[in-house]
Every structure is written in structure tokens, then in C-alpha cells.
Amino acid sequence: LSTPTGGIPEIVKEGLNGWLASTQDAMVDQLREILRHPDSLEAVSRNARKSVQRFDWAVIAPKWKELLGQYFVL
């Protein structure tokens, strides 16, 4: 559960891998909804884990090395 600021909305897809709340009231409402339906939390958590793995340094570092290797000796 996050606020839709910065690049977060590009990563968090509502109900699929997380939830977005624009206001404090919306965040409280979403937390209540999660507590009422904890079964949704497990699936969303699994999807969130999968979606952030593409940002893991082990994945990102080789891409940076390939990109920067064109211009620098690494």
C-alpha cells in the first residue's frame, strides 16, 4: 500500500501487486479492506515480489555494465 507519487504508479498495479491511496482516508479505507479480505493479501504479495525482482541489483548491474561498457573500460 503506497501513495501514487513519483514512479510508484508505474510499478504498483492496483489490486494486482499492491494498492495506491491518494489520501489518508483512502489509505485507512484500503487497510480496512485488506484486513477484511486477508486472502487477497497473499496473492498481491506474491505478485509484488515477482514484479520487483526485475529491479534486483543482480539483474540491473549487468545491464548497466553493458550500457556503460560502450563508453568506459569496466
Side-chain angles (χ1 to χ4, degrees), residues 3-72:
T3 57
T5 56
I8 299 296
E10 294 174 22
I11 299 169
V12 176
K13 303 306 175 203
E14 188 71 28
L16 178 65
N17 64 356
W19 296 276
L20 297 172
S22 298
T23 66
Q24 185 175 359
D25 288 342
M27 189 162 290
V28 170
D29 291 343
Q30 187 59 56
L31 284 170
R32 286 183 178 139
E33 192 65 23
I34 291 168
L35 291 172
R36 275 194 285 267
H37 304 284
D39 51 312
S40 66
L41 186 59
E42 185 176 338
V44 170
S45 294
R46 245 191 329 272
N47 290 336
R49 172 89 173 148
K50 288 178 192 174
S51 63
V52 299
Q53 285 177 331
R54 64 189 173 152
F55 300 109
D56 185 279
W57 187 245
V59 174
I60 297 296
K63 292 178 181 181
W64 275 106
K65 187 173 182 180
E66 180 181 337
L67 176 68
L68 297 176
Q70 300 173 46
Y71 307 102
F72 303 101

